[in-house]
Amino acid sequence: VQLQASGGGLVQPGGSLRLSCAASGRTFSSGQMGWFRQAPGKEREFVAAIRRTDGLTRYGDAVKGRFTISRDNAKNTVYLQMNSLKPEDTAVYYCAGDPSRTIPRSMEIMSRYEYWGQGTQVTVSS
């Protein structure tokens, strides 16, 4: 499975961006797709995840109410709509795939994710 993230860029505080993650190769029909991010000097953290079967979503506390994850299974693509962006959202954003079934709270566990994209830079600055 190959994951290709795109859509990052420079945006002013309060602005919006939409990230995309396209999966190719031997894709999976169950499990979940997630977004994680890593800011300079900080550990990688969970942002959002969505279950492929029923669309169940989970969000990190820092992005709840501002970010929305969605999926298009026909296109094997996951999106992250980011609104009301803040400077502290600046990071490299990675998409990841976990083909196994799990309970909702475990969707946030980074070590579960077997497949990772290359990351896309998001910079929020005036």
Side-chain angles (χ1 to χ4, degrees):
V1 177
Q2 291 80 46
L3 302 178
Q4 180 72 39
S6 61
L10 174 64
V11 63
Q12 292 187 343
S16 298
L17 277 177
R18 189 176 83 152
L19 305 183
S20 299
C21 176
S24 61
R26 187 169 171 265
T27 56
F28 43 93
S29 58
S30 60
Q32 43 276 326
M33 297 292 292
W35 287 96
F36 294 79
R37 67 186 184 185
Q38 188 166 19
K42 295 188 177 181
E43 294 185 352
R44 194 171 296 189
E45 66 174 353
F46 171 74
V47 175
I50 187 166
R51 203 151 60 185
R52 290 183 60 86
T53 51
D54 60 6
L56 178 74
T57 58
R58 297 280 292 188
Y59 293 94
D61 289 341
V63 306
K64 282 180 182 176
R66 299 187 298 123
F67 291 11
T68 302
I69 189 170
S70 61
R71 78 204 194 288
D72 184 335
N73 287 346
K75 296 182 178 180
N76 286 314
T77 301
V78 174
Y79 305 97
L80 184 68
Q81 178 66 44
M82 306 186 293
N83 298 329
S84 302
L85 283 161
K86 305 174 182 180
E88 50 264 44
D89 294 317
T90 296
V92 177
Y93 284 71
Y94 299 90
C95 64
D98 170 15
S100 60
R101 294 185 178 91
T102 187
I103 57 176
R105 65 173 181 265
S106 292
M107 293 165 66
E108 304 178 16
I109 299 174
M110 188 165 55
S111 60
R112 293 196 56 87
Y113 289 80
E114 184 175 344
Y115 303 103
W116 289 84
Q118 84 288 2
T120 185
Q121 176 71 47
V122 172
T123 302
V124 185
S125 175
S126 55

